[in-house]
Every structure is written in structure tokens, then in C-alpha cells.
């Protein structure tokens, strides 16, 4: 890390990412060290923009969030505390005690069940480094982002397709690029089937993972699946990628359903979509599912099939709406501030 001039105000934009191989289970919950490598693609229609400003004119820390379609509002609670814990770590590094104002804005509906923690924590972390004149390379930035609490955020720092290497210490656990955003014209159709907040947070899910009798079996088969997924991306082998992401999504949800206590994230429509995709594939229309810690389905497809798949998906009873995403760059600094 290099110390530069502090500009004290900076803005970053960062995407959410969809995991092809899921991070599920932690070796160390303080350092956010995962039990396995994970692989993801950044998604371009699910962005968070964050402006931070440090100034003696602020008498207290202020965190405002503008969710999509809602008014900008000061927020308190767990999320705000997590953001401010990250701010405190950076204040210490920069040896500054000025208060901060943070304004964050999401480009996607907060009720779409797409976790905005990856985009939010990566945008915040990048903006903080710039404002405080702390210069990190990509590896260090990924590590600093991981430490904010939502581990998957460390993958949003990287452009395009990323692999988070689990490592065995804070220094060796970070994301690297597999391919950039222009490498492969894939798409992620987010199919929203339920707009409620998830009942069990991924944080709790990570803690429960090890209580599943099958968790060890998952960890054993993962290195091979990670290798094949990495290969599928590099060689643009869509069918192999599809098989791997479906295997991994089912494996993760098998762990949640067999944890003690069990957690069921799917609903009936989730299963209807899975069945429909399998039927359509028999007729040559290729879309593969993956599912995070909620009931909504991410359909991974080739861009040429977006329209057909979207039309068919929207006809399934229980589907509320869809969001089309393409691969995109990771976190970046922009000139235009939100305030
Ligand atoms: O980074 P967290 O703590 O929000 O956990 C992410 C968990 C999943 O989204 C289900 C999987 C992943 O790798 O993104």
C-alpha cells in the first residue's frame, strides 16, 4: 500500500456478481476466509454507486442510501454498522479522525432479492481508498474488500470473470481474473419469483454449512468442479459451464437443506423454472440455472437466446419480473459525485 495525497471525496461504481461456484462456509469468520475457491461473473445491470466525503464540517458519520425507485434516506442498523466498521479500519490506516458522509445508490430494485452486499462493499472500499489517498493494487484491494464482511464482494473488484482463491491466511485469500468482460457474450437473466427479504442471511448460512453431514463431501468434489468451470470459461465451453453451475447450485442448496437446522431457500416457482429449463434444453434452447441464498433464479445463457428465454420465463406462473445482465468490468473510480 502506498500513501498518496488525500482528496477526501471520491466516488466508485461497482457491480454485483453471480457465483458459478458458490462460496458457502467459512474457515475463519473474523478474517472471512472461505472453505473453498469460488468463481463468478460481474453483472452489468446491478450496480452500486457510492460517494464518500471526509470533512471537519460533519459532526457525525452519516450514511444515506438511495434504493432503486425510493427516496434517498439516512439508514441505521446492521448494514450501516458494517459499512462504518469498514470506514473505521480505513480511518486508522490513513490516521485521520474526520467524520464521513456516505451516499450510496443502487441501480437495481432492492426487492429483487439480489444481494447488493457485493456491489455495496466493493464500491465503498474502492471509494474509501481513493478519498484517503491509500493506493492498493488489485490483489490488496480485493483483500481489503473481503475484510468488509461480505466475502463475495472481493470478486467484484476484478473485471469480468473472477476466481476467489480461498488461501490459508488473510494475505493469500483474494480474487483474480479468469477472463475479462469482453471474453464471452454470456447473459444472466435474473428471474424474480419472490420480493421478500431472505429469511436466513448468507452470513448465518455460512455458519450452518458445517453442520450438514454432506459438507465434507462437497469440499472434496469442489476442486475438480472449480477446475472444469475455470476451463469452461477460458475455452468458452457453454454446455460444460452449464453442467458445472447447476451441479454447484444444487450442491450448495443440498447443504442448506441438510444443515441443522435446515434452511429451504427455494419456493415452488424456483422448481418450476428448473424443470422448464431442463425441458427447453431437450429442444436445443440452452439456459442453465444457478440460485443464491434465496428463491430467485439466475438463468445463464448465451446472448443470442436472451429474448426467447425471457419471453418463455415470463410466462411461468409466479414469475414477477426479470433483469437482463451481461458481463461487465469490476469496481472503478468515477469523476461524477452523488453529492
Ligand atoms: O458474501 P456473502 O457473505 O454475502 O455470501 C455469498 C453467498 C452466495 O451468494 C450464496 C454465494 C456466492 O459465492 O456469492
Amino acid at each position: 500500500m502506498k500513501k498518496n495525497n488525500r482528496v477526501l471525496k471520491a466516488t466508485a461504481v461497482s457491480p454485483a456478481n453471480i457465483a458459478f461456484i458458490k462460496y458457502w462456509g467459512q474457515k475463519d469468520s473474523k478474517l472471512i476466509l472461505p472453505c473453498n475457491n469460488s468463481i463468478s461473473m460481474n453483472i452489468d445491470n446491478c450496480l452500486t454507486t457510492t460517494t464518500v466525503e471526509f470533512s471537519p464540517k460533519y459532526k457525525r458519520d452519516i450514511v444515506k442510501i438511495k434504493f432503486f425507485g425510493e427516496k434517498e434516506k439516512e439508514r441505521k442498523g446492521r448494514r450501516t454498522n458494517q459499512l462504518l466498521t469498514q470506514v473505521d479500519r480505513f480511518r486508522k490506516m490513513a490516521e485521520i479522525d474526520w467524520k464521513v458522509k456516505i451516499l450510496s445508490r443502487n441501480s437495481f430494485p432492492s426487492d429483487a432479492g439480489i444481494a447488493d452486499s457485493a456491489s455495496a462493499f466493493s464500491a465503498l472500499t474502492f471509494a474509501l481508498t481513493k478519498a484517503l489517498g491509500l493506493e492498493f493494487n488489485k490483489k490488496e484491494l480485493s483483500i481489503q474488500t473481503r475484510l468488509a464482511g461480505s466475502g463475495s464482494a472481493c470478486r467484484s473488484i476484478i473485471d469480468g470473470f473472477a476466481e476467489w482463491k480461498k488461501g490459508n491466511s488473510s494475505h493469500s485469500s483474494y480474487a483474480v481474473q479468469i477472463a475479462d468482460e469482453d471474453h464471452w457474450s454470456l447473459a444472466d437473466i435474473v428471474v424474480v419469483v419472490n420480493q421478500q427479504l431472505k429469511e436466513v442471511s448468507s452470513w448465518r448460512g455460512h455458519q450452518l454449512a458445517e453442520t450438514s453431514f454432506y459438507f465434507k463431501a462437497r469440499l472434496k468434489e469442489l476442486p475438480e468442479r472449480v477446475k472444469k468451470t475455470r476451463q469452461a470459461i477460458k475455452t468458452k465451453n457453454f454446455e460444460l459451464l452449464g453442467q458445472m453451475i447447476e451441479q454447484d447450485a444444487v450442491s450448495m442448496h443440498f447443504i442448506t437443506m441438510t444443515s441443522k437446522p435446515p434452511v429451504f431457500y427455494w419456493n415452488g416457482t424456483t422448481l418450476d423454472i428448473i424443470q422448464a429449463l431442463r425441458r427447453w434444453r431437450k429442444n436445443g434452447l440452452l439456459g442453465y440455472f444457478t440460485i443464491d441464498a434465496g428463491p430467485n433464479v439466475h438463468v445463464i445463457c448465451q446472448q443470442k437466446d436472451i429474448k426467447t428465454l425471457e419471453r418463455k420465463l415470463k410466462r411461468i406462473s409466479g414469475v414477477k419480473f426479470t433483469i437482463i445482465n451481461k458481463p461487465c468490468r469490476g469496481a472503478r473510480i468515477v469523476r461524477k459525485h452523488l453529492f
Side-chain angles (χ1 to χ4, degrees), residues 17-24 26 32 38-40 115 117-118 149-155 164 198 202-203 206 252-253 291-294:
N17 65 70
I18 178 64
F20 293 164
I21 299 290
K22 310 292 182 190
Y23 149 49
W24 202 247
Q26 295 166 332
I32 324 289
S38 54
I39 293 181
S40 64
S117 47
S150 165
S152 58
C154 79
R155 298 186 306 239
W164 174 10
K198 56 189 165 207
S202 43
W203 182 255
H206 291 305
M252 180 199 120
H253 286 269
I291 305 157
D292 276 344

PDB file of all heavy atoms in Angstrom, residues 17-24 26 32 38-40 115 117-118 149-155 164 198 202-203 206 252-253 291-294, ligand 1:
ATOM      1  N   ASN A  17     -22.164  -9.605  -8.424  1.00  0.00           N
ATOM      2  CA  ASN A  17     -21.670 -10.703  -9.252  1.00  0.00           C
ATOM      3  C   ASN A  17     -22.498 -11.944  -8.977  1.00  0.00           C
ATOM      4  O   ASN A  17     -23.056 -12.096  -7.903  1.00  0.00           O
ATOM      5  CB  ASN A  17     -20.169 -10.935  -9.016  1.00  0.00           C
ATOM      6  CG  ASN A  17     -19.854 -11.397  -7.593  1.00  0.00           C
ATOM      7  OD1 ASN A  17     -20.168 -12.523  -7.202  1.00  0.00           O
ATOM      8  ND2 ASN A  17     -19.228 -10.513  -6.804  1.00  0.00           N
ATOM      9  N   ILE A  18     -22.588 -12.819  -9.998  1.00  0.00           N
ATOM     10  CA  ILE A  18     -23.308 -14.077  -9.781  1.00  0.00           C
ATOM     11  C   ILE A  18     -22.276 -15.192  -9.694  1.00  0.00           C
ATOM     12  O   ILE A  18     -21.391 -15.300 -10.557  1.00  0.00           O
ATOM     13  CB  ILE A  18     -24.375 -14.351 -10.875  1.00  0.00           C
ATOM     14  CG1 ILE A  18     -25.058 -15.703 -10.619  1.00  0.00           C
ATOM     15  CG2 ILE A  18     -23.818 -14.316 -12.292  1.00  0.00           C
ATOM     16  CD1 ILE A  18     -25.846 -15.782  -9.326  1.00  0.00           C
ATOM     17  N   ALA A  19     -22.394 -15.997  -8.631  1.00  0.00           N
ATOM     18  CA  ALA A  19     -21.415 -17.072  -8.424  1.00  0.00           C
ATOM     19  C   ALA A  19     -21.778 -18.296  -9.246  1.00  0.00           C
ATOM     20  O   ALA A  19     -22.899 -18.791  -9.166  1.00  0.00           O
ATOM     21  CB  ALA A  19     -21.361 -17.431  -6.944  1.00  0.00           C
ATOM     22  N   PHE A  20     -20.840 -18.744 -10.061  1.00  0.00           N
ATOM     23  CA  PHE A  20     -20.990 -20.009 -10.798  1.00  0.00           C
ATOM     24  C   PHE A  20     -20.607 -21.166  -9.863  1.00  0.00           C
ATOM     25  O   PHE A  20     -21.179 -22.234  -9.905  1.00  0.00           O
ATOM     26  CB  PHE A  20     -20.081 -20.029 -12.028  1.00  0.00           C
ATOM     27  CG  PHE A  20     -20.465 -19.038 -13.104  1.00  0.00           C
ATOM     28  CD1 PHE A  20     -19.569 -18.697 -14.115  1.00  0.00           C
ATOM     29  CD2 PHE A  20     -21.739 -18.465 -13.130  1.00  0.00           C
ATOM     30  CE1 PHE A  20     -19.931 -17.812 -15.121  1.00  0.00           C
ATOM     31  CE2 PHE A  20     -22.100 -17.576 -14.144  1.00  0.00           C
ATOM     32  CZ  PHE A  20     -21.190 -17.241 -15.132  1.00  0.00           C
ATOM     33  N   ILE A  21     -19.559 -20.937  -9.074  1.00  0.00           N
ATOM     34  CA  ILE A  21     -19.193 -21.851  -7.988  1.00  0.00           C
ATOM     35  C   ILE A  21     -19.360 -21.042  -6.711  1.00  0.00           C
ATOM     36  O   ILE A  21     -18.786 -19.966  -6.571  1.00  0.00           O
ATOM     37  CB  ILE A  21     -17.719 -22.326  -8.101  1.00  0.00           C
ATOM     38  CG1 ILE A  21     -17.477 -23.085  -9.419  1.00  0.00           C
ATOM     39  CG2 ILE A  21     -17.326 -23.181  -6.898  1.00  0.00           C
ATOM     40  CD1 ILE A  21     -18.124 -24.447  -9.516  1.00  0.00           C
ATOM     41  N   LYS A  22     -20.173 -21.544  -5.796  1.00  0.00           N
ATOM     42  CA  LYS A  22     -20.579 -20.749  -4.630  1.00  0.00           C
ATOM     43  C   LYS A  22     -19.563 -20.778  -3.500  1.00  0.00           C
ATOM     44  O   LYS A  22     -18.978 -21.826  -3.207  1.00  0.00           O
ATOM     45  CB  LYS A  22     -21.897 -21.281  -4.061  1.00  0.00           C
ATOM     46  CG  LYS A  22     -23.007 -21.488  -5.061  1.00  0.00           C
ATOM     47  CD  LYS A  22     -23.529 -20.196  -5.624  1.00  0.00           C
ATOM     48  CE  LYS A  22     -24.680 -20.420  -6.579  1.00  0.00           C
ATOM     49  NZ  LYS A  22     -25.034 -19.205  -7.312  1.00  0.00           N
ATOM     50  N   TYR A  23     -19.436 -19.626  -2.870  1.00  0.00           N
ATOM     51  CA  TYR A  23     -18.744 -19.524  -1.579  1.00  0.00           C
ATOM     52  C   TYR A  23     -19.793 -19.879  -0.536  1.00  0.00           C
ATOM     53  O   TYR A  23     -20.793 -19.185  -0.398  1.00  0.00           O
ATOM     54  CB  TYR A  23     -18.225 -18.085  -1.448  1.00  0.00           C
ATOM     55  CG  TYR A  23     -18.138 -17.483  -0.068  1.00  0.00           C
ATOM     56  CD1 TYR A  23     -17.532 -18.163   0.992  1.00  0.00           C
ATOM     57  CD2 TYR A  23     -18.637 -16.199   0.168  1.00  0.00           C
ATOM     58  CE1 TYR A  23     -17.448 -17.571   2.247  1.00  0.00           C
ATOM     59  CE2 TYR A  23     -18.545 -15.599   1.411  1.00  0.00           C
ATOM     60  CZ  TYR A  23     -17.957 -16.295   2.453  1.00  0.00           C
ATOM     61  OH  TYR A  23     -17.873 -15.705   3.682  1.00  0.00           O
ATOM     62  N   TRP A  24     -19.595 -20.990   0.149  1.00  0.00           N
ATOM     63  CA  TRP A  24     -20.576 -21.393   1.168  1.00  0.00           C
ATOM     64  C   TRP A  24     -19.832 -22.086   2.293  1.00  0.00           C
ATOM     65  O   TRP A  24     -19.331 -23.188   2.136  1.00  0.00           O
ATOM     66  CB  TRP A  24     -21.653 -22.317   0.551  1.00  0.00           C
ATOM     67  CG  TRP A  24     -22.903 -22.322   1.375  1.00  0.00           C
ATOM     68  CD1 TRP A  24     -23.398 -23.384   2.094  1.00  0.00           C
ATOM     69  CD2 TRP A  24     -23.807 -21.233   1.589  1.00  0.00           C
ATOM     70  NE1 TRP A  24     -24.560 -23.002   2.736  1.00  0.00           N
ATOM     71  CE2 TRP A  24     -24.827 -21.693   2.448  1.00  0.00           C
ATOM     72  CE3 TRP A  24     -23.849 -19.902   1.150  1.00  0.00           C
ATOM     73  CZ2 TRP A  24     -25.872 -20.880   2.874  1.00  0.00           C
ATOM     74  CZ3 TRP A  24     -24.890 -19.093   1.571  1.00  0.00           C
ATOM     75  CH2 TRP A  24     -25.886 -19.591   2.417  1.00  0.00           C
ATOM     76  N   GLN A  26     -17.333 -20.965   6.029  1.00  0.00           N
ATOM     77  CA  GLN A  26     -16.109 -20.192   6.322  1.00  0.00           C
ATOM     78  C   GLN A  26     -15.137 -20.970   7.197  1.00  0.00           C
ATOM     79  O   GLN A  26     -15.554 -21.642   8.137  1.00  0.00           O
ATOM     80  CB  GLN A  26     -16.486 -18.913   7.080  1.00  0.00           C
ATOM     81  CG  GLN A  26     -17.323 -17.943   6.304  1.00  0.00           C
ATOM     82  CD  GLN A  26     -17.935 -16.874   7.203  1.00  0.00           C
ATOM     83  OE1 GLN A  26     -18.171 -17.108   8.391  1.00  0.00           O
ATOM     84  NE2 GLN A  26     -18.205 -15.718   6.628  1.00  0.00           N
ATOM     85  N   ILE A  32     -12.868 -13.694   7.387  1.00  0.00           N
ATOM     86  CA  ILE A  32     -13.682 -14.051   6.207  1.00  0.00           C
ATOM     87  C   ILE A  32     -12.853 -14.914   5.237  1.00  0.00           C
ATOM     88  O   ILE A  32     -12.670 -14.576   4.063  1.00  0.00           O
ATOM     89  CB  ILE A  32     -14.243 -12.798   5.470  1.00  0.00           C
ATOM     90  CG1 ILE A  32     -14.606 -11.683   6.443  1.00  0.00           C
ATOM     91  CG2 ILE A  32     -15.409 -13.164   4.563  1.00  0.00           C
ATOM     92  CD1 ILE A  32     -15.797 -11.926   7.281  1.00  0.00           C
ATOM     93  N   SER A  38     -14.146 -19.916  -5.147  1.00  0.00           N
ATOM     94  CA  SER A  38     -15.435 -19.672  -5.814  1.00  0.00           C
ATOM     95  C   SER A  38     -15.180 -18.893  -7.100  1.00  0.00           C
ATOM     96  O   SER A  38     -14.134 -18.247  -7.247  1.00  0.00           O
ATOM     97  CB  SER A  38     -16.384 -18.908  -4.881  1.00  0.00           C
ATOM     98  OG  SER A  38     -15.773 -17.727  -4.403  1.00  0.00           O
ATOM     99  N   ILE A  39     -16.147 -18.986  -8.020  1.00  0.00           N
ATOM    100  CA  ILE A  39     -15.984 -18.365  -9.353  1.00  0.00           C
ATOM    101  C   ILE A  39     -17.236 -17.574  -9.691  1.00  0.00           C
ATOM    102  O   ILE A  39     -18.353 -18.041  -9.423  1.00  0.00           O
ATOM    103  CB  ILE A  39     -15.731 -19.452 -10.424  1.00  0.00           C
ATOM    104  CG1 ILE A  39     -14.365 -20.109 -10.174  1.00  0.00           C
ATOM    105  CG2 ILE A  39     -15.812 -18.876 -11.837  1.00  0.00           C
ATOM    106  CD1 ILE A  39     -13.973 -21.178 -11.177  1.00  0.00           C
ATOM    107  N   SER A  40     -17.065 -16.376 -10.276  1.00  0.00           N
ATOM    108  CA  SER A  40     -18.255 -15.556 -10.565  1.00  0.00           C
ATOM    109  C   SER A  40     -18.082 -14.706 -11.809  1.00  0.00           C
ATOM    110  O   SER A  40     -16.978 -14.564 -12.351  1.00  0.00           O
ATOM    111  CB  SER A  40     -18.536 -14.629  -9.378  1.00  0.00           C
ATOM    112  OG  SER A  40     -17.458 -13.723  -9.231  1.00  0.00           O
ATOM    113  N   ALA A 115     -28.582  -9.877  -3.737  1.00  0.00           N
ATOM    114  CA  ALA A 115     -27.822  -9.290  -2.640  1.00  0.00           C
ATOM    115  C   ALA A 115     -27.019  -8.125  -3.189  1.00  0.00           C
ATOM    116  O   ALA A 115     -26.312  -8.275  -4.189  1.00  0.00           O
ATOM    117  CB  ALA A 115     -26.897 -10.336  -2.057  1.00  0.00           C
ATOM    118  N   SER A 117     -24.824  -6.699  -1.321  1.00  0.00           N
ATOM    119  CA  SER A 117     -23.666  -6.544  -0.453  1.00  0.00           C
ATOM    120  C   SER A 117     -22.358  -6.566  -1.253  1.00  0.00           C
ATOM    121  O   SER A 117     -21.434  -5.826  -0.918  1.00  0.00           O
ATOM    122  CB  SER A 117     -23.663  -7.594   0.655  1.00  0.00           C
ATOM    123  OG  SER A 117     -23.914  -8.860   0.117  1.00  0.00           O
ATOM    124  N   ALA A 118     -22.297  -7.380  -2.309  1.00  0.00           N
ATOM    125  CA  ALA A 118     -21.053  -7.447  -3.090  1.00  0.00           C
ATOM    126  C   ALA A 118     -20.773  -6.101  -3.756  1.00  0.00           C
ATOM    127  O   ALA A 118     -19.665  -5.561  -3.665  1.00  0.00           O
ATOM    128  CB  ALA A 118     -21.129  -8.550  -4.131  1.00  0.00           C
ATOM    129  N   GLY A 149     -16.609  -7.913   5.211  1.00  0.00           N
ATOM    130  CA  GLY A 149     -17.617  -8.799   5.806  1.00  0.00           C
ATOM    131  C   GLY A 149     -18.329  -9.679   4.810  1.00  0.00           C
ATOM    132  O   GLY A 149     -18.580 -10.843   5.067  1.00  0.00           O
ATOM    133  N   SER A 150     -18.687  -9.112   3.646  1.00  0.00           N
ATOM    134  CA  SER A 150     -19.327  -9.932   2.627  1.00  0.00           C
ATOM    135  C   SER A 150     -18.229 -10.414   1.695  1.00  0.00           C
ATOM    136  O   SER A 150     -17.767  -9.690   0.815  1.00  0.00           O
ATOM    137  CB  SER A 150     -20.350  -9.083   1.862  1.00  0.00           C
ATOM    138  OG  SER A 150     -20.713  -9.748   0.684  1.00  0.00           O
ATOM    139  N   GLY A 151     -17.789 -11.652   1.908  1.00  0.00           N
ATOM    140  CA  GLY A 151     -16.620 -12.157   1.179  1.00  0.00           C
ATOM    141  C   GLY A 151     -16.768 -12.085  -0.322  1.00  0.00           C
ATOM    142  O   GLY A 151     -15.820 -11.746  -1.042  1.00  0.00           O
ATOM    143  N   SER A 152     -17.985 -12.376  -0.814  1.00  0.00           N
ATOM    144  CA  SER A 152     -18.177 -12.425  -2.270  1.00  0.00           C
ATOM    145  C   SER A 152     -17.889 -11.066  -2.920  1.00  0.00           C
ATOM    146  O   SER A 152     -17.650 -10.996  -4.124  1.00  0.00           O
ATOM    147  CB  SER A 152     -19.591 -12.887  -2.607  1.00  0.00           C
ATOM    148  OG  SER A 152     -20.533 -12.033  -2.017  1.00  0.00           O
ATOM    149  N   ALA A 153     -17.891  -9.991  -2.124  1.00  0.00           N
ATOM    150  CA  ALA A 153     -17.604  -8.654  -2.653  1.00  0.00           C
ATOM    151  C   ALA A 153     -16.192  -8.579  -3.228  1.00  0.00           C
ATOM    152  O   ALA A 153     -15.925  -7.784  -4.137  1.00  0.00           O
ATOM    153  CB  ALA A 153     -17.776  -7.604  -1.563  1.00  0.00           C
ATOM    154  N   CYS A 154     -15.279  -9.422  -2.729  1.00  0.00           N
ATOM    155  CA  CYS A 154     -13.883  -9.324  -3.199  1.00  0.00           C
ATOM    156  C   CYS A 154     -13.780  -9.714  -4.668  1.00  0.00           C
ATOM    157  O   CYS A 154     -12.831  -9.355  -5.348  1.00  0.00           O
ATOM    158  CB  CYS A 154     -12.941 -10.144  -2.324  1.00  0.00           C
ATOM    159  SG  CYS A 154     -12.942 -11.902  -2.653  1.00  0.00           S
ATOM    160  N   ARG A 155     -14.805 -10.444  -5.185  1.00  0.00           N
ATOM    161  CA  ARG A 155     -14.776 -10.823  -6.604  1.00  0.00           C
ATOM    162  C   ARG A 155     -15.222  -9.674  -7.500  1.00  0.00           C
ATOM    163  O   ARG A 155     -14.898  -9.634  -8.688  1.00  0.00           O
ATOM    164  CB  ARG A 155     -15.675 -12.055  -6.833  1.00  0.00           C
ATOM    165  CG  ARG A 155     -15.228 -13.320  -6.066  1.00  0.00           C
ATOM    166  CD  ARG A 155     -16.083 -14.519  -6.466  1.00  0.00           C
ATOM    167  NE  ARG A 155     -17.492 -14.245  -6.312  1.00  0.00           N
ATOM    168  CZ  ARG A 155     -18.357 -14.923  -5.543  1.00  0.00           C
ATOM    169  NH1 ARG A 155     -17.935 -15.965  -4.839  1.00  0.00           N
ATOM    170  NH2 ARG A 155     -19.620 -14.587  -5.481  1.00  0.00           N
ATOM    171  N   TRP A 164     -12.099 -16.403  -6.677  1.00  0.00           N
ATOM    172  CA  TRP A 164     -11.611 -16.056  -5.339  1.00  0.00           C
ATOM    173  C   TRP A 164     -10.850 -17.264  -4.819  1.00  0.00           C
ATOM    174  O   TRP A 164     -11.436 -18.322  -4.590  1.00  0.00           O
ATOM    175  CB  TRP A 164     -12.798 -15.710  -4.445  1.00  0.00           C
ATOM    176  CG  TRP A 164     -12.483 -15.472  -2.991  1.00  0.00           C
ATOM    177  CD1 TRP A 164     -11.272 -15.337  -2.402  1.00  0.00           C
ATOM    178  CD2 TRP A 164     -13.457 -15.349  -1.942  1.00  0.00           C
ATOM    179  NE1 TRP A 164     -11.404 -15.119  -1.052  1.00  0.00           N
ATOM    180  CE2 TRP A 164     -12.732 -15.129  -0.750  1.00  0.00           C
ATOM    181  CE3 TRP A 164     -14.850 -15.396  -1.905  1.00  0.00           C
ATOM    182  CZ2 TRP A 164     -13.377 -14.968   0.489  1.00  0.00           C
ATOM    183  CZ3 TRP A 164     -15.491 -15.237  -0.681  1.00  0.00           C
ATOM    184  CH2 TRP A 164     -14.761 -15.019   0.499  1.00  0.00           C
ATOM    185  N   LYS A 198     -34.675 -12.281   2.233  1.00  0.00           N
ATOM    186  CA  LYS A 198     -34.485 -13.697   2.568  1.00  0.00           C
ATOM    187  C   LYS A 198     -34.597 -13.917   4.081  1.00  0.00           C
ATOM    188  O   LYS A 198     -34.203 -13.056   4.873  1.00  0.00           O
ATOM    189  CB  LYS A 198     -33.169 -14.210   2.019  1.00  0.00           C
ATOM    190  CG  LYS A 198     -31.940 -13.454   2.434  1.00  0.00           C
ATOM    191  CD  LYS A 198     -30.751 -13.952   1.635  1.00  0.00           C
ATOM    192  CE  LYS A 198     -29.584 -13.001   1.737  1.00  0.00           C
ATOM    193  NZ  LYS A 198     -28.702 -13.046   0.611  1.00  0.00           N
ATOM    194  N   SER A 202     -27.080 -14.960   4.314  1.00  0.00           N
ATOM    195  CA  SER A 202     -25.983 -15.834   3.890  1.00  0.00           C
ATOM    196  C   SER A 202     -24.942 -15.933   5.017  1.00  0.00           C
ATOM    197  O   SER A 202     -24.281 -16.953   5.176  1.00  0.00           O
ATOM    198  CB  SER A 202     -25.346 -15.342   2.590  1.00  0.00           C
ATOM    199  OG  SER A 202     -25.169 -13.965   2.597  1.00  0.00           O
ATOM    200  N   TRP A 203     -24.860 -14.895   5.821  1.00  0.00           N
ATOM    201  CA  TRP A 203     -23.929 -14.917   6.959  1.00  0.00           C
ATOM    202  C   TRP A 203     -24.224 -16.110   7.865  1.00  0.00           C
ATOM    203  O   TRP A 203     -23.351 -16.893   8.237  1.00  0.00           O
ATOM    204  CB  TRP A 203     -24.065 -13.606   7.749  1.00  0.00           C
ATOM    205  CG  TRP A 203     -23.116 -13.521   8.902  1.00  0.00           C
ATOM    206  CD1 TRP A 203     -23.404 -13.674  10.225  1.00  0.00           C
ATOM    207  CD2 TRP A 203     -21.701 -13.311   8.824  1.00  0.00           C
ATOM    208  NE1 TRP A 203     -22.262 -13.565  10.974  1.00  0.00           N
ATOM    209  CE2 TRP A 203     -21.211 -13.344  10.145  1.00  0.00           C
ATOM    210  CE3 TRP A 203     -20.815 -13.098   7.773  1.00  0.00           C
ATOM    211  CZ2 TRP A 203     -19.859 -13.167  10.433  1.00  0.00           C
ATOM    212  CZ3 TRP A 203     -19.461 -12.931   8.065  1.00  0.00           C
ATOM    213  CH2 TRP A 203     -19.005 -12.955   9.374  1.00  0.00           C
ATOM    214  N   HIS A 206     -23.464 -19.464   6.110  1.00  0.00           N
ATOM    215  CA  HIS A 206     -22.049 -19.866   6.154  1.00  0.00           C
ATOM    216  C   HIS A 206     -21.748 -20.605   7.461  1.00  0.00           C
ATOM    217  O   HIS A 206     -21.013 -21.571   7.499  1.00  0.00           O
ATOM    218  CB  HIS A 206     -21.134 -18.640   6.069  1.00  0.00           C
ATOM    219  CG  HIS A 206     -21.160 -17.961   4.728  1.00  0.00           C
ATOM    220  ND1 HIS A 206     -20.898 -18.623   3.561  1.00  0.00           N
ATOM    221  CD2 HIS A 206     -21.418 -16.679   4.371  1.00  0.00           C
ATOM    222  CE1 HIS A 206     -20.993 -17.779   2.540  1.00  0.00           C
ATOM    223  NE2 HIS A 206     -21.325 -16.597   3.012  1.00  0.00           N
ATOM    224  N   MET A 252     -24.851 -26.640  -3.237  1.00  0.00           N
ATOM    225  CA  MET A 252     -24.956 -25.651  -2.157  1.00  0.00           C
ATOM    226  C   MET A 252     -26.316 -25.740  -1.458  1.00  0.00           C
ATOM    227  O   MET A 252     -26.410 -25.726  -0.234  1.00  0.00           O
ATOM    228  CB  MET A 252     -24.755 -24.231  -2.703  1.00  0.00           C
ATOM    229  CG  MET A 252     -24.856 -23.171  -1.619  1.00  0.00           C
ATOM    230  SD  MET A 252     -25.181 -21.511  -2.265  1.00  0.00           S
ATOM    231  CE  MET A 252     -26.723 -21.125  -1.456  1.00  0.00           C
ATOM    232  N   HIS A 253     -27.379 -25.872  -2.260  1.00  0.00           N
ATOM    233  CA  HIS A 253     -28.714 -25.908  -1.648  1.00  0.00           C
ATOM    234  C   HIS A 253     -28.975 -27.226  -0.921  1.00  0.00           C
ATOM    235  O   HIS A 253     -29.742 -27.261   0.041  1.00  0.00           O
ATOM    236  CB  HIS A 253     -29.787 -25.574  -2.693  1.00  0.00           C
ATOM    237  CG  HIS A 253     -29.784 -24.110  -3.005  1.00  0.00           C
ATOM    238  ND1 HIS A 253     -30.572 -23.204  -2.323  1.00  0.00           N
ATOM    239  CD2 HIS A 253     -29.023 -23.374  -3.857  1.00  0.00           C
ATOM    240  CE1 HIS A 253     -30.309 -21.984  -2.764  1.00  0.00           C
ATOM    241  NE2 HIS A 253     -29.366 -22.059  -3.704  1.00  0.00           N
ATOM    242  N   ILE A 291     -28.676 -20.519  -8.304  1.00  0.00           N
ATOM    243  CA  ILE A 291     -29.543 -19.894  -7.298  1.00  0.00           C
ATOM    244  C   ILE A 291     -28.700 -19.522  -6.081  1.00  0.00           C
ATOM    245  O   ILE A 291     -27.961 -20.368  -5.571  1.00  0.00           O
ATOM    246  CB  ILE A 291     -30.662 -20.879  -6.868  1.00  0.00           C
ATOM    247  CG1 ILE A 291     -31.433 -21.376  -8.100  1.00  0.00           C
ATOM    248  CG2 ILE A 291     -31.624 -20.243  -5.868  1.00  0.00           C
ATOM    249  CD1 ILE A 291     -32.143 -22.699  -7.873  1.00  0.00           C
ATOM    250  N   ASP A 292     -28.790 -18.268  -5.650  1.00  0.00           N
ATOM    251  CA  ASP A 292     -28.068 -17.859  -4.447  1.00  0.00           C
ATOM    252  C   ASP A 292     -28.927 -18.133  -3.211  1.00  0.00           C
ATOM    253  O   ASP A 292     -29.833 -18.937  -3.273  1.00  0.00           O
ATOM    254  CB  ASP A 292     -27.672 -16.377  -4.553  1.00  0.00           C
ATOM    255  CG  ASP A 292     -26.373 -16.211  -5.345  1.00  0.00           C
ATOM    256  OD1 ASP A 292     -25.660 -17.220  -5.517  1.00  0.00           O
ATOM    257  OD2 ASP A 292     -26.077 -15.087  -5.772  1.00  0.00           O
ATOM    258  N   ALA A 293     -28.667 -17.403  -2.133  1.00  0.00           N
ATOM    259  CA  ALA A 293     -29.384 -17.679  -0.885  1.00  0.00           C
ATOM    260  C   ALA A 293     -30.773 -17.041  -0.905  1.00  0.00           C
ATOM    261  O   ALA A 293     -31.069 -16.108  -0.164  1.00  0.00           O
ATOM    262  CB  ALA A 293     -28.557 -17.173   0.285  1.00  0.00           C
ATOM    263  N   GLY A 294     -31.627 -17.538  -1.787  1.00  0.00           N
ATOM    264  CA  GLY A 294     -32.984 -17.024  -1.936  1.00  0.00           C
ATOM    265  C   GLY A 294     -33.682 -17.843  -2.999  1.00  0.00           C
ATOM    266  O   GLY A 294     -33.071 -18.742  -3.587  1.00  0.00           O
TER     267      GLY A 294
HETATM  268  O1  LIG B   1     -20.506 -12.849   0.507  1.00  0.00           O
HETATM  269  P1  LIG B   1     -21.697 -13.283   1.274  1.00  0.00           P
HETATM  270  O2  LIG B   1     -21.379 -13.465   2.729  1.00  0.00           O
HETATM  271  O3  LIG B   1     -22.869 -12.386   1.021  1.00  0.00           O
HETATM  272  O4  LIG B   1     -22.109 -14.765   0.761  1.00  0.00           O
HETATM  273  C1  LIG B   1     -22.414 -15.035  -0.570  1.00  0.00           C
HETATM  274  C2  LIG B   1     -23.143 -16.317  -0.674  1.00  0.00           C
HETATM  275  C3  LIG B   1     -23.668 -16.684  -2.057  1.00  0.00           C
HETATM  276  O5  LIG B   1     -24.149 -15.546  -2.719  1.00  0.00           O
HETATM  277  C4  LIG B   1     -24.825 -17.666  -1.898  1.00  0.00           C
HETATM  278  C5  LIG B   1     -22.618 -17.394  -2.898  1.00  0.00           C
HETATM  279  C6  LIG B   1     -21.544 -16.544  -3.532  1.00  0.00           C
HETATM  280  O6  LIG B   1     -20.435 -17.049  -3.695  1.00  0.00           O
HETATM  281  O7  LIG B   1     -21.813 -15.380  -3.924  1.00  0.00           O
END
